[in-house]
Structures are given as C-alpha cells and as structure tokens.
Amino acid sequence: MTAVQAVALIVVAVAGTAVVFTPDPSRQAIVASVFGLSLALLFFVFQAPDVALSQITVGTVALPAMILLALAKVRRRERARNDS
Amino acid sequence: MTFLPYAVSAWLFLVGLFGVVRSRNLIHLVVCLSVVQASTYVLLLAVGYRHGGAAPIFADVPLGSRTVDPVVATLTLTDVVVEATVVALLLALAVQAHKRFGTLDPDQLGAMRG
Amino acid sequence: MAIAPLTVAVPLLAAGALTAVAPWVNRPIAEVVALGAALAATALSIALLVQAGDGLDIYWFGGWTPRHGIALGVSFAVDSFGAGLAALVAALMVAALIVMWRYRDTDAPHFQVLMLVFLSGMLGFCLSGDLFDMFVFFELMSVAAFALAGFKVEEEAVEGSLNFAVTNTIGSFLILTGIALVYGRTGALNLAQVGGALVGGPSDGLVVVAFALLACGFLVKAAVVPFHFWLADAYAVAPTPVCLLFAGAMSELGVYAVGRLWFDAFAPALGSHADALRAVLIVAGSLTAVVGAVMCFAQDHVKRLLAFATIAYVGLFLIGLGLLTPVGLAGAAIYIVSDGLGKAGLFASVGIVQHRLRHVSEARLRGLGRDLPFTGLLFLAGALSFASLPPFGTFLGKSLIEDGLSSAGYEWVVPILVLTSVLTSAAVLRVAAGAFLGWGTAVPRRVSALDESGSEEDAPRGRTPPSMYLPALAMILGALAVGTIPGIAESVQGAAARFADGHGYAAAVLNGTTPARPGTLPYSTAGHAYAYAAVTGLGAVAMAALALFGNRGRGSAGARLADLGERALAPLRAVHSGRVGDYVAWLVSGVAALGGALALALHPI
Amino acid sequence: MTRRGRMVLFGFGAVGLAALMAWGLAGLPSFGDFDGAYGTLLSKIAVPERQASSVVAAVTFDYRGLDTLGEEFILFAAAVGVLVLLRIQRGEEDIPAEPQHSRLPTGRSLTLRSVATALVGPVVLLGLYIVSHGHLTPGGGFQGGLVLAAGLLLAYLSGAHLRLGRARPVSAMELSEAAGAAGFALIGLGGLVFAGVFLENFLPTGTFRSLISGGTIPLANVAVGAEVMGATLLILAELLDQHLLTHGRHRR
C-alpha cells in the first residue's frame, strides 16, 4: 500500500461523501465529475489503465453531461409551466 | 493500512445508500446510486491488485513480468461504461416522473397506495 | 452441440437487426420477426431440455476448455432444470408477443427489440454456469424490464418502474459485491471452480457473507419479503403482456439462481450447515407467502392483486427450494412451471378484460363482464390452479412440497401453504364472481386510486381478438397438462437429485465425467394431499362468498368482520407506501436481517 | 412511514449491513497479496496465443467474450429504453415544438464555439486511435466509442448542431448502435460458422505488437466502438433534442 494509493483512496472517500451531501443536483453534477476524476486517478494508481480511461470518459464527461441535460429539461418545463 | 481499500468501498456503499434513502430529488437520488456503484469498482480492483505488479499490458513491459490481475480489470472496464447508460435510463425515468407529477421529490409521487 | 449459444444469440441478433432497420419497418414486420425469434428460442430450449435429459451439457464459449483444472472461458452448464426454465420463459414470451398483437399501438420495433433483449437476458440467466456471467444476464434482463415496465409512460407507470429500477439496481450491486468477495478468496468465477476452491479453503466469515450477499441480491429479484415492495408497483403499471412474463418467469429466476448458487458453488464447502440454512429459507418463504397472500386478498386493483399472488407463490417456491431435498426441489420445479403458466394465463385474461371493459378495478368491473363468459371461465380455471386442485400441476407440486415438509419435520408450514392457496384463489374467485356474474355488494370497499380506465385504449372493442384468448387458454391448459403427464413426478425428482448434486456438477464441468444417474423412486400422491386440496378448495369458496355476500347490511356480522380485517390490515397497507426511499430502507434492513441470518446459520459464531 | 421512521429503519439496517460487510471483507487477503490462479494463467497464455499485447483486451473480447456481448447488449437496451421513454414523451410535448427554420445556433459564446470547433478534429482522431489500438495499448471499443461520442458532442457545441432534417442523425446513430451490437454478435456467429464454437477467434492472430494482431479482437473493438458511440450519442441527442426543440423559443 504505497502512500499515493492511500491518498487516492482518501480523496475518493471524501469526494464520494461530498457527492451524497450536496443536495442541489446541479452542484452535485460538478462534484460527481470531481468524484469521477478521483476514481480515475485511483484506478490508474491501482495499475488498471483501461478502467481509468473508461472512468475518465464516463465519470468526468458523460455522466455529468447527462445529469445537467436532464436538469435542463426539468428546469425548462418548470419555466414553461410558470409561464402558462 | 492493508484494509483501507475495502473499508473505503464499504463506506461508499453505505453512504451512497444513505443518500438514496434521504434524497428529496430523484436526480440527486440517481447520482447517489452511482456512488454505490463506484464502491463495487473500488472493491473489485482492490481485490485484484498485486504488490509491485505492472499493468497487464505487454506493449513495453517484458513478457512474464509480474502484473496485476487482468480479470478484475475486464469485469470493471465494461461495467463502468454500461452503468453510465443504466444511469441514463434512470435519469430518463426521473424526467418522466417530473413531467407527469410536476415534482422530483420521490416522497410526493406516492400514487401506489396500499 | 451449438444449440446453447444460439438460444441466446438468435433473439439478440433479431433485436440488433430490427433496430438497424427501425425507420423502415412497420409494426407487423417487427412483430413477425420478434415472434419468429421467440419461436426459434422456444424450439432451441426444448431441444436443449431433451438433449440435457438426465445429464449436464457444458458449452465452453470461444473454445476455451479448462486447462490444468482452471476454467478459462465462460461456460453454459445446461441441465434439465435450467433448460426447463428456459423453455418456460421462451414459451411465455411467444404467448406475450401474440397477446401483444392487437393489444395497443406500441412504438413499433423498439417494443419488440426490448422484449427480445429481455428474452435473451432470461435465457442466458437460466443456462449460465459462470458467476459473473449470471450477473451480466441478470443486469441485461433487468435493464430491458425497467424500460418495458415504464413503457406506457402513464402517471403511475413511471413511479412503478422507478421503484423497480432503483431496488433491482441495488440488488445487482449486492451481487457484484458478493462476486468480488468470492473472486478475492478463490480467484475463480466458474461456479464449479468456485465450489472446488471453497472446499480447499476455510469456511470463514468471507464465504458465508459472500453467499448471504449473493443470495440477497437474487432474492431482491425474486421479491421475497422484505425486498418485495417494488414488485406490486412494477406489475401494476407494466403493460399486461409484459406482466405475463414478469409474473410467469422473472420472479422465479431469482429462486432458481439461489438454488444453483447454493448447490453448485457453496454446498460443497458449507453443506454441513444445510439444516440451519433450511430453517432460514423456510421461514423467509413462509413470511413471504403469508404477506403476499394477505395483501393479495386485500387488493382492489386486479393487476396488483395478481402481483401479490406472485409474491405469495414465490414464498412457496422458496419453501420448496429451502427444503434442500430432491422431493422439495421437484415440488418447487413442478409448482414453478404449472403456476407460472397459470398466472400467465390469468394475466392474459386480465388483458382481455382491459381490452374489452377498460377497467382493472374490481369495484368498477362489477357486473360489466356478463357477456364475457369465456374469459370468466379462464378466471375460474386460474383460481382453481391457484387453489392447487388435483387436475392441475400445482396440486402435484404442492403435494410434493407437503411430503418434503413432513419428512423434514416442518409440518407447521403445511397450514401456511393451505392458507396461501386459500387466500389467493379466494381473491381471484371474488374478482371473477364480481366481474362476470355481478355478485357481491355494490359498495366498493376501496376503489384503487390508479384504475387505468381509458388509459389502455379509447373505444372499448366489441369482440375479443383470438390473438388474446387463445394464448390465455393455451397457458391455462398448459398448467393443467403439467399435472397429468404420467411419471412426471419421478423424472423431475431424478432431475432434482442431479440439480442438488454439487460434486457431480463440478466433476462434469471440470473433467467432463458424466454424473452418476441416481435411481428415481416411484412417487404416489399421499392420501392427505387430497384432503389438503379439498380443504383449500372449500376454504377458497367460503372466503370468496364471505367477501362477496358477507357485509350485506351495515350492522351484520360480515360487515363488522370486514371492518375488523380492514383495521388489522391498515399498518400492512401503510408499509406498502409506494415511496422508493422506504423501499430502499426496507431493502437495507432486509439484507442486514436475512443476510445476517443466512450468514450466522452457515457459520454459527 | 414517516421520514424519521424511515431513517431509523435505515439506521439499524446500515449498522447490520456494515457489520456483515466488515465480517466478510475481513476474510479477504490483505491488499496486494492476491494471487488468483485464473489471472496469472491468463497473463501467461494470452499473449502467445493471441498475439495481442493487451491481456485485458484479450480477456474482454476473447476469453470472456460472452460477458462482453452481454454487457454490450445491456448498453444497447438502455439506449433503446431512453429512446422509447423520451421520444414517446416528446410525441405529446405540451410545449409546442419550435419551427425548423428559426433554430438558433446552440453554442452562443464565440470562445466556446471556436475552441469546440478546434477540438473536434483531434478528439475524433484520438477516439479512432483508442478504438483501433485497443488490443495493443490501454483502450478499446468501450473507451474509444465514448471519446468519439464526446468528439461529436463538441461538434454540436461548436454551433453546427446536429442537423435534425428528414435524415435525422438520431436514426444514423441508431443504425451505428445497432450495427455495432449486431456486429459483435455476428463475429461470435462467425466463430461458430468458421471454427465450430460460438465466439471462437477464427482469424489469424497476426504478429505481436503490430496493428494486425489478435484475430477478431480488433474487429470486436471496432464493433463495440460503433455501438458505444451510437448509444451515447443517442442518449445525449434524446436529452438534447428535448432541450433543443424549445430552447430557442424562450430567448425571444
């Protein structure tokens, strides 16, 4: 268990807890992106580059994009409902 | 320190479930679910790690050198990408719920009494 | 011997092809292609069943046969139990696709694509012999089921499929955690290899917790109490032909998976604690049966009523499996097949009722079905199958389980079997009498909030298309036929003995030796089984009559009884709140309780 | 059940589950001491038998190919699920869809559009590299497909939003997704036809560390890459489509 691995693990634990304790989904998407990046670094440190590459593209880019787009749709409908 | 990875994965599992139970917003709930999902990846890769092992890719590493376990990487690699689309499906359901119920709070959906 | 992979590959290829030509294909073509693939899968699974016969067919994908005793590739291990369940699943898919023909305007190829992927997910799950591969097919059938459950996108549909999706996803995470533990200890994923490796190592906390987590993950899919809450919501909202598959096959796969997991992977190492495991599984099964049956009788929404009946019968199957003896397993197997067909037939009949009368709430249906005698008969036959009366296969299954229970010293469970059959068949009888004969009081006790009146289709059709009542009839007759096949009890008991033989399985998988063919002992239904059936039949009719005619006047004894029942039931109804937060809380505490019980039973501290 | 009651129930459950998991995890070998026979055997035989330098790719697409076929169809089913759920909703969208011609370019700020346009080329190239070299270096169909999807997303951000005319790109994405998914299944079927066993690697394994090596593994990578790209773009397009259709109207 090298020091880098221990630090990476702690960062992942803290980031995961932060994701859970961020109530507002739009801010939570950003924290989830940070959590995805910390996971990617952890997988890199665990000598699993394939998984790290997957995690970077998914956790840091695709997932937050999907969350923000879902939020945009929900907000748009709320705005539309307030207008009409 | 040798049990830290397993402890972190158990912690993520439980804190993610705590987020799901406590959540007041379906999209927040789905993201907490992805935290639970991440705990399974951490556990799988932690289980397959070997001290001093290189990545199991012999592009530049000489053949026969000590490597980490390739099987766990296989299981996790596909799972990471697949779970992203499952989360997308859950988000689509959440957006549908908002369209039909006008709210994202799971406690107010409750048409399923009794 | 390329039948096994084709069984799973054909529906997948058909699904891919349909999506590729999606913009240019209209609904009839999509339906024909889907039905063709489903028929092919049925034929292939039946061929597998015949070929597996009394042995175990192993198919190593990619040609990677074991080397130095280590399983390299992923394998299908097809025995008659797995192939039989696969054949049931495929047959129900054919019936569902036929019922779907005139059911409503679905989003043409995409619905059929999801159904085909759902089919191959379930088929792969039945045939797989690899732990992670079972997880992959578990996830495949779950994702397709989430989309299918939310397909109708009505008010409740979304919430039902959301509860279904969140709880089952957490179930799959439990399974993945269990797999990680098993791989950490044994470094193997093939079931037979895991079994062998576990025998070598200490049977310590890791082994029993891994089994507990995996079993709880599969029991979430089987909807055993307290993991069962999602099932009633999902079945109440899914399109009825999809419910036909959910009720007929999907829940039973969870119970089958626990059996395969125990006998092939964990029994070789933990077999000495089988008695303690038997107690835990039978108690969990009995609890599920009682809760399911009571809630079933208390429902007004017919699809939720059948959903709770499904939960009740999963409890009975778990009791049969929990006996861990060939008699119990054979009883569970015959019960699964005949009850699966019976329930699927009932759901198809509910589809006819929805198609013609637009309602699914019992109170609103009262008296509407007078000109639907045939559907009324189907309901009656379904109720008889629930009551497990002699001509039906369910009678044979139940009597086998009753024998197993008495020989294992669990006589106290037999009344629970009888109570479950009484309550579920009484509920269906009550609905049938109310809807088709107009009996019963006009005062609706509880009109379900989510009656789907008008949501299925606008104008009620004049005539029931044959594509709806023929499959329903076929399935009910199937449930009848299973009971009347000569010598079925003996052959299924032989198959059950092989299913329970972990060592024979490991030998067949790793070194290719064919397992010994155990002798089949002749089976004759004991006298008391007929007595129990008579009690069940009479009890069901009495309960239905009480519910229909009991509360004539306000002050009459029946009304007071109904109020008393309603008050006693209020807490149980409140627990089924429909809120996903509650369900996940129940799931977590269920894993702690049931998982803890399983672990402690297998490794007493 | 009140929220407080639910949290109490969850509290007890979580404590029990934590204890159960701790008891189980304690039995694992300590971190780093894993020596599973399956993994070591695969590391030894994967390279000589398949000439693919990435053992992970060989295990993913050849030794445990059925798992990957299953995972791939999970992705396929989820994308079709999202399509079905969101498209049906759009069919009866209560907000009137915006007429075609007055669609405003999506990326409005100049810097965003110029940076995005500059990045589209390299990102797509990187995606193609990752897909095609999956069996040699870390990467493969899953990761490369996502990078390609990110590249095309950048094209959208750069203002040239996905032309939603009659030949809707969504159906093009659906085609690439289906072709990828069915493609991998066909490769499996090819194994059955040419070499007698489903998912058998029937192509010559080529020379070590060269692009043409590993038999069907690169083909499977390309198929999975097409499918992942199609599925991800399908999901993003469905989410974007919803947003896109009415976004412009509110600005006026």
Side-chain angles (χ1 to χ4, degrees), chain C residues 316-331:
Chain C
L316 296 187
F317 305 150
L318 193 60
I319 290 173
L321 172 78
L323 280 168
L324 304 176
T325 59
V327 174
L329 286 170

Side-chain angles (χ1 to χ4, degrees), chain A:
Chain A
M1 168 67 84
T2 67
V4 176
Q5 286 167 343
V7 166
L9 279 166
I10 302 295
V11 167
V12 160
V14 167
T17 315
V19 167
V20 168
F21 287 101
T22 320
D24 170 34
S26 46
R27 265 199 302 278
Q28 189 188 24
I30 310 303
V31 181
S33 179
V34 169
F35 177 56
L37 195 61
S38 65
L39 272 173
L41 294 179
L42 178 71
F43 297 154
F44 188 73
V45 164
F46 276 5
Q47 297 291 347
D50 287 90
V51 189
L53 190 56
S54 291
Q55 183 60 35
I56 285 177
T57 44
V58 166
T60 322
V61 174
L63 200 62
M66 289 181 195
I67 296 168
L68 290 174
L69 285 174
L71 270 171
K73 273 159 46 70
V74 165
R75 293 267 158 65
R76 171 179 52 74
R77 185 168 303 110
E78 266 160 8
R79 266 205 317 276
R81 195 155 285 166
N82 303 343
D83 297 351
S84 54

Side-chain angles (χ1 to χ4, degrees), chain C residues 137-158:
Chain C
F137 284 116
F138 175 94
E139 192 79 8
L140 182 61
M141 83 175 149
S142 298
V143 168
F146 301 158
L148 285 169
F151 198 83
K152 282 200 309 182
V153 196
E154 260 72 40
E155 193 93 11
E156 326 76 15
V158 176

Side-chain angles (χ1 to χ4, degrees), chain B residues 107, chain C residues 579 582, chain D residues 1-8:
Chain B
D107 292 345
Chain C
R579 286 198 294 270
D582 297 353
Chain D
M1 200 158 74
T2 63
R3 278 185 68 87
R4 229 180 57 75
R6 176 196 309 173
M7 297 316 292
V8 168

Side-chain angles (χ1 to χ4, degrees), chain C residues 154-415:
Chain C
E154 260 72 40
E155 193 93 11
E156 326 76 15
V158 176
E159 190 205 355
S161 48
L162 249 173
N163 296 347
F164 175 28
V166 171
T167 39
N168 277 271
T169 306
I170 294 174
S172 69
F173 295 151
L174 288 172
I175 294 171
L176 203 51
T177 309
I179 290 175
L181 287 177
V182 165
Y183 190 73
R185 166 61 54 84
T186 62
L189 289 173
N190 185 289
L191 281 173
Q193 185 117 46
V194 165
L198 287 179
V199 169
S203 303
D204 61 357
L206 178 133
V207 177
V208 294
V209 167
F211 174 74
L213 291 178
L214 284 163
C216 283
F218 288 128
L219 290 179
V220 167
K221 172 65 80 180
V224 166
V225 165
F227 309 130
H228 69 290
F229 297 99
W230 61 270
L231 188 134
D233 298 353
Y235 287 25
V237 299
T240 306
V242 178
C243 289
L244 189 145
L245 272 164
F246 284 2
M250 192 172 76
S251 310
E252 287 74 1
L253 290 180
V255 178
Y256 161 80
V258 172
R260 181 163 291 287
L261 189 72
W262 167 253
F263 288 115
D264 297 338
F266 287 89
L270 301 171
S272 57
H273 299 284
D275 302 339
L277 177 66
R278 173 176 299 125
V280 172
L281 289 179
I282 285 185
V283 165
S286 314
L287 192 60
T288 308
V290 169
V291 167
V294 166
M295 283 301 282
C296 166
F297 190 75
Q299 288 305 319
D300 167 74
H301 186 287
V302 176
K303 283 166 83 171
R304 272 179 79 88
L305 183 145
L306 290 179
F308 279 109
T310 310
I311 294 173
Y313 279 88
V314 160
L316 296 187
F317 305 150
L318 193 60
I319 290 173
L321 172 78
L323 280 168
L324 304 176
T325 59
V327 174
L329 286 170
I334 295 177
Y335 218 165
I336 282 178
V337 173
S338 48
D339 182 72
L341 289 169
K343 278 205 295 288
L346 265 175
F347 261 109
S349 319
V350 167
I352 296 173
V353 164
Q354 271 182 314
H355 185 73
R356 290 292 299 279
L357 308 174
R358 308 262 59 69
H359 294 303
V360 255
S361 145
E362 180 192 354
R364 291 212 177 89
L365 278 173
R366 194 168 308 288
L368 289 181
R370 280 202 176 77
D371 52 5
L372 283 175
F374 183 69
T375 317
L377 284 177
L378 286 179
F379 262 81
L380 182 64
L384 296 181
S385 142
F386 271 177
S388 317
L389 296 184
F392 282 91
T394 44
F395 167 72
L396 193 56
K398 195 154 87 92
S399 51
L400 276 165
I401 294 180
E402 278 156 7
D403 292 357
L405 284 171
S406 40
S407 58
Y410 280 85
E411 287 80 3
W412 58 272
V413 179
V414 172

Side-chain angles (χ1 to χ4, degrees), chain D residues 92-123:
Chain D
E92 358 136 14
E93 182 65 271
D94 43 11
I95 303 167
E98 190 203 283
Q100 200 83 353
H101 58 273
S102 74
R103 180 92 26 68
L104 300 167
T106 46
R108 297 306 304 281
S109 80
L110 198 58
T111 46
L112 173 68
R113 289 180 57 183
S114 50
V115 167
T117 319
L119 278 179
V120 169
V123 168

